Amino acid sequence: MKKIIVPIDFSEHSEYALNTAAKLAKKNNAELLALHMLEMSEVMLTAGGEEPQKVIYFLKLAEQRFEDFLKKDYLKDIKVTPIVKHFKVFSEVNEIAKKYDADLIVMGSHGASGVKEFFIGSNTERVVRNADIPVLVVKNHVPQINFEVVAYACDFSEDSIKTYLDAVKIFEKMGSKMYLVYVNLPNDKFRNSLEIERLAVNFFTKAEGNLDRMDDVYYTSDYSVEDGILSSSIKIGADLIAIPTHGRKGLSHFFQGSVGEDVANHSTLPVITFKIKS
């Protein structure tokens, strides 16, 4: 992990994200790309007369505020590259990630106490759906970023194998113990124990060519995937919840509806998303 992007909007939650990203940067000797997207309307940026002077004034004011915001003690000894964009287009975060070859995006989110939507209409949702790299979402101050135990939501589908292997690499570098959480639902997706085991065997055989991780699978039954993930994360003592997504297409297979939204809103734990790539 060499480069980490942190979108900054001066809110308390973006500072939580910046602080978390700083801890990750120190641990991995990584560079922080602090990104601020101005809310300057196209009218102001293209207007004639006295408007250009006003635009220049507001741009300099915002850039100064951004510079002051980055004067944090916890950023000392970390390489921080400030990036200012003149439009608030969250899909651009992925373009910036590509340009700078970033490995991770860290964002703050209000969660249930503020912005309800996580995967539906929020700024975080826009970033997650457009990002090709993992997005770590935090809702509060994260004292430690050891992430010793990770609850990774998995439906054992073959199209999520590559994403799973990418996650394995990241968590192995972090020294994390990853449990794959499978939630069995009381509907047409219900499977008995033997069927679930067959799914897991097929998944691991195709993913890694062995069944060494079978002991790391945590099966649970619940009325919803989000409830199953949240309860399982508590039972296994997780420090982090990981969820694979299909980006703009929505969530994978049994991750239909508002699973990501509900997990992020109701979990006090950080949530990291991994995009499933076809």
Side-chain angles (χ1 to χ4, degrees):
M1 189 181 297
K2 297 301 180 184
K3 295 183 180 179
I4 303 169
I5 294 180
V6 188
I8 302 293
D9 63 3
F10 307 124
S11 69
E12 181 182 29
H13 292 86
S14 69
E15 179 151 5
Y16 292 152
L18 183 61
N19 187 280
T20 300
K23 291 185 174 76
L24 284 168
K26 285 182 179 179
K27 188 173 183 179
N28 295 278
N29 193 28
E31 174 185 358
L32 281 188
L33 306 176
L35 171 64
H36 178 50
M37 290 177 282
L38 301 177
E39 296 188 78
M40 304 294 286
S41 70
E42 187 174 357
V43 174
M44 289 189 69
L45 291 174
T46 58
E50 297 180 357
E51 290 300 321
Q53 284 72 32
K54 291 183 180 179
V55 171
I56 292 172
Y57 171 77
F58 284 117
L59 286 176
K60 290 188 176 296
L61 194 66
E63 288 173 359
Q64 182 60 53
R65 186 183 180 194
F66 187 36
E67 184 179 326
D68 292 339
F69 187 84
L70 295 176
K71 293 178 180 177
K72 311 290 186 185
D73 288 339
Y74 58 76
L75 292 178
K76 288 181 179 178
D77 301 322
I78 298 175
K79 182 180 180 181
V80 180
T81 301
I83 302 171
V84 177
K85 287 290 188 178
H86 294 165
F87 289 96
K88 208 163 192 177
V89 182
F90 285 90
S91 60
E92 284 190 359
V93 177
N94 189 53
E95 297 305 314
I96 294 169
K98 289 180 180 178
K99 179 179 178 180
Y100 288 88
D101 195 25
D103 306 289
L104 177 70
I105 298 169
V106 181
M107 291 196 70
S109 176
H110 296 275
S113 61
V115 180
K116 277 190 175 182
E117 58 275 30
F118 177 80
F119 276 92
I120 307 295
S122 70
N123 295 337
T124 307
E125 173 269 334
R126 294 185 182 95
V127 173
V128 167
R129 291 200 175 184
N130 286 280
D132 292 322
I133 62 175
V135 180
L136 175 64
V137 182
V138 297
K139 291 199 303 179
N140 43 45
H141 176 66
V142 181
Q144 297 180 339
I145 47 86
N146 292 329
F147 299 145
E148 293 180 357
V149 180
V150 178
Y152 182 89
C154 188
D155 61 357
F156 299 127
S157 60
E158 291 186 17
D159 65 348
S160 66
I161 287 176
K162 186 180 185 306
T163 304
Y164 157 75
L165 293 175
D166 290 343
V168 167
K169 290 178 183 177
I170 289 178
F171 295 136
E172 282 183 345
K173 288 179 181 178
M174 289 184 179
S176 305
K177 173 69 174 180
M178 186 174 83
Y179 289 95
L180 285 79
V181 177
Y182 181 92
V183 184
N184 204 17
L185 301 175
N187 53 29
D188 60 340
K189 296 183 183 297
F190 176 82
R191 292 183 171 89
N192 62 36
S193 298
L194 182 58
E195 290 171 329
I196 297 173
E197 188 167 313
R198 284 173 178 167
L199 276 177
V201 167
N202 178 69
F203 182 84
F204 288 122
T205 299
K206 293 189 175 181
E208 300 183 284
N210 61 66
L211 303 179
D212 294 348
R213 293 185 185 271
M214 283 293 288
D215 290 338
D216 298 333
V217 176
Y218 189 93
Y219 307 104
T220 187
S221 296
D222 218 313
Y223 290 107
S224 68
V225 176
E226 55 269 22
D227 286 343
I229 294 171
L230 290 171
S231 63
S232 297
S233 67
I234 295 172
K235 289 177 182 177
I236 65 178
D239 306 296
L240 176 69
I241 294 175
I243 302 178
T245 81
H246 265 305
R248 296 180 186 178
K249 296 178 182 178
L251 297 169
S252 166
H253 294 281
F254 71 17
F255 303 126
Q256 297 297 321
S258 60
V259 175
E261 173 190 344
D262 290 340
V263 170
N265 283 343
H266 298 110
S267 173
T268 57
L269 297 176
V271 176
I272 187 169
T273 65
F274 291 87
K275 186 173 182 179
I276 294 176
K277 301 172 184 177
S278 54

